Amino acid sequence: MAELIWVYAEILDGKVTTTTLEMLAKAAQAGTAEAVLLGPAPDEAAATLARHGASKIYRSADAVYAECLTLPAAETVAGLIEKYRPAVMLFASSYAGRDVVSNLSARLDCGAITDVADFVLKDGRVEATIPALGGSYQNTATIENQGTKLLVVRPKSFEPKVDEQPLTVEEVPPATGEAIRRVRRKQTVVVKREGPQLEGAKTIVSGGRGLRGEENFAMLKELADLLEGAVGATRAAVDAGWVPYAMQIGQTGKTVKPDLYIACGISGAVQHLSGMKTSKYIVSINKDPDAPLFQYSDFGVVGDVFKVVPQLIEELRKRKGGA
Amino acid sequence: RGNALNIVVCGKVIPASSVTIELDPSSKRMVRKGVAHELDPAAASAVEEGLRLTEKHGGAVTLITMGISDATIGIRNALAMGAASAVHILDDAVAGSDTLGTAKLLAAAIAKQQFDLVICATESSDSYSGIVPGQIAYLLGLPPVTFAKEVSVEGTTVTIKRQSETGYEIVEASLPALVTVTSGINEPRYPQLKGIMAAKKKEIKLYTAAELGVPLDQVGERGAREKVLTIGRPPKRQAGRIVVDQGDGGKQIADFLAEIKVI
Ligand SMILES: Cc1cc2nc3c(=O)[nH]c(=O)nc-3n(C[C@H](O)[C@H](O)[C@H](O)COP(=O)(O)OP(=O)(O)OC[C@H]3O[C@@H](n4cnc5c(N)ncnc54)[C@H](O)[C@@H]3O)c2cc1C
Ligand SMILES: Nc1ncnc2c1ncn2[C@@H]1O[C@H](COP(=O)(O)O)[C@@H](O)[C@H]1O
């Protein structure tokens, strides 16, 4: 019989997250996929999970999971794991995913493998692929424990897949008691983001320290608009306060995988590369011929962003308007 | 003062950012011996946050690190920034510990301190598993208050702005608690000469696993559940075309975009 693989499902902006669907696709391919969905979620969330390969969904809509974050979720998942003993459980490398898995790995005294880009499961044994040290290495690792193997999965590691399953939902009792209410979420603030978002963008135009200032990101926005894409940035640009953290791409920011990534004034540090180097096409503009990013670029121009980018914008306008 | 805060900061000392970290093919672990070390910048931010809180409320910061003897340089740095004392878990037997082994050792060392608050960085800069703090919180029974981009303490309540995918959340818990801080939370101070001099006189307490009462089969290589099987390099991306801008760089990119049918 196929082995049981669970996915810890997450909701963001009223939708099941893409990483959840990516993990489900992998789980369904490697075994029998089931999902755990805790906390308030839109009505169609369970159906979305079933449509993407979940043959069963463990569900509690109780508000405690939203109000108290990690502790109730970890308690409920630990109980479910002890009852059903899945071979593997997958968590996204997200805020909630990391919080829940860290608690579980200590509670169940089983540890976890983090930063997983892929895995195979055979006779209950997991062999995971890990891009270590910012992706300069690619290792394989396993975890030796009796029970469920906990894996923390990198976003964009798999393609979501429609794999319609009959909707089977098992209601689970919510976690209760004072101990799980020790962390309280008092308020949620959504910072308004303008224009297309990085998640899901087919084209990303990204800027680094070479942009020299906040005002010059307008030029990247113009280029991105012409290509119907979104604007991203390096940590150097974010830390300088030029753009918000939501735009950061890399190890401590977002992992993206667009069809086209245009890097402007970005050196290509491993921590940045690890968030974008699986993009289909990479184009870079840098005045330093030795910038490491050139080694990952399909097309590179050694030159000044303040000359090359405006010319590119003008050229795209011409070709759009003209031809 | 009744409200003074005793803060424990867990921070790593790691190969300096100028060092390209390599993996040792036989042990499959990072080469740490014989390379320059520094206080992890993420740990420096955690120390800084602790110092700011104690400057406001009174109290003291203790740094706890687990690492090889080369870690001393980073510990001194934290002491020079203003931490009052430090604990160094130094024991050959703990080399190769996995996240949970590390968390057990750190939790045991924290339990020996008087503390109101534990501060960790969300992730370390070299191994960035990001799960050690949550494990420590569980082991010590502390509420985990994570991904802070701002921290404040009011009476016996700690409140943070928690980074989220769409903005932030206001999250609180009662002390004692464990907080993790994100990398951009502050700009760590540079140690001043006075601090550097003072640091030389501050205590660095050494512990082995046995002294912490953590069984040896739980830590080090032997206790590690996570095991690296193979190390290798990722497939190289096929070399692309690199041109030097002769005044038509922008046009050439447009041509390339046409070639790959983006325009
Ligand atoms: C734990 C940790 C996590 C990190 N996480 C991330 C992360 O998530 N994302 C991230 O991006 N970084 C991250 N970093 C930082 C990373 O190491 C680099 O410091 C950062 O990516 C550098 O950004 P940059 O390329 O913009 O700046 P730099 O490295 O300074 O590069 C700027 C480039 O611009 C070029 N340039 C300058 N002027 C011009 C011009 N006029 N025209 C053309 N080119 C020009 C220069 O030649 C240079 O190559 C992390 C670091 C650590 C330690
Ligand atoms: N060896 C260590 N010594 C001290 N603190 C550590 C150690 N390993 C992990 N930590 C703490 O846990 C955080 C996350 O580390 P990691 O799980 O390696 O990403 C670090 O920023 C520290 O606060």
Side-chain angles (χ1 to χ4, degrees), chain B residues 176-251:
Chain B
L178 178 142
V179 168
T180 72
V181 297
T182 56
S183 63
I185 189 166
N186 57 39
E187 190 61 51
R189 68 194 67 184
Y190 283 107
Q192 303 298 314
L193 187 62
K194 213 174 122 203
I196 296 170
M197 299 309 289
K200 293 193 176 139
K201 297 194 207 85
K202 291 179 179 168
E203 188 190 12
I204 303 180
K205 206 163 169 38
L206 299 179
Y207 283 112
T208 61
E211 285 164 349
L212 291 171
V214 181
L216 283 179
D217 62 355
Q218 304 276 307
V219 298
E221 186 117 24
R222 205 150 52 101
R225 296 160 181 79
E226 297 160 61
K227 291 214 158 59
V228 178
L229 300 169
T230 60
I231 63 173
R233 296 286 186 175
K236 273 242 176 295
R237 259 186 106 98
Q238 224 179 354
R241 255 180 296 154
I242 310 296
V243 301
V244 176
D245 184 26
Q246 310 281 7
D248 64 345
K251 288 195 186 107

Side-chain angles (χ1 to χ4, degrees), chain A residues 208-210 212 234-236 248-253 265-269 271-272 285-288 291 303-306, chain B residues 125:
Chain A
R209 202 191 314 268
R212 281 196 220 133
T234 64
R235 179 155 130 188
Q248 183 173 318
I249 292 168
Q251 186 184 306
T252 43
I266 295 177
S267 61
Q271 295 91 352
H272 186 73
I285 305 158
N286 195 308
K287 63 178 186 190
D288 174 8
D304 184 349
V305 281
F306 298 105
Chain B
S125 302

Side-chain angles (χ1 to χ4, degrees), chain B residues 107-196:
Chain B
I110 296 166
K112 286 191 175 292
Q113 318 298 316
Q114 286 261 359
F115 66 91
D116 305 296
L117 186 64
V118 177
I119 304 182
C120 293
T122 50
E123 64 237 322
S124 62
S125 302
D126 59 346
S127 29
Y128 54 89
S129 84
I131 63 172
V132 169
Q135 294 172 334
I136 296 173
Y138 177 79
L139 293 169
L140 294 173
L142 298 173
V145 189
T146 53
F147 300 103
K149 35 191 246 162
E150 244 179 73
V151 184
S152 62
V153 173
E154 214 49 75
T156 57
T157 303
V158 57
T159 305
I160 67 159
K161 268 192 184 175
R162 180 181 194 257
Q163 180 73 54
S164 76
E165 277 91 353
T166 50
Y168 62 91
E169 297 159 342
I170 307 289
V171 175
E172 60 167 46
S174 296
L175 299 176
L178 178 142
V179 168
T180 72
V181 297
T182 56
S183 63
I185 189 166
N186 57 39
E187 190 61 51
R189 68 194 67 184
Y190 283 107
Q192 303 298 314
L193 187 62
K194 213 174 122 203
I196 296 170

Side-chain angles (χ1 to χ4, degrees), chain A residues 11 13 24 40 80 99-100 132 136 141 154 188 197 238 271 301:
Chain A
I11 303 290
D13 273 344
L24 273 176
L80 288 170
D99 276 351
V100 174
S136 48
R154 290 173 60 86
T188 299
Q197 303 304 309
V238 172
Q271 295 91 352
V301 174

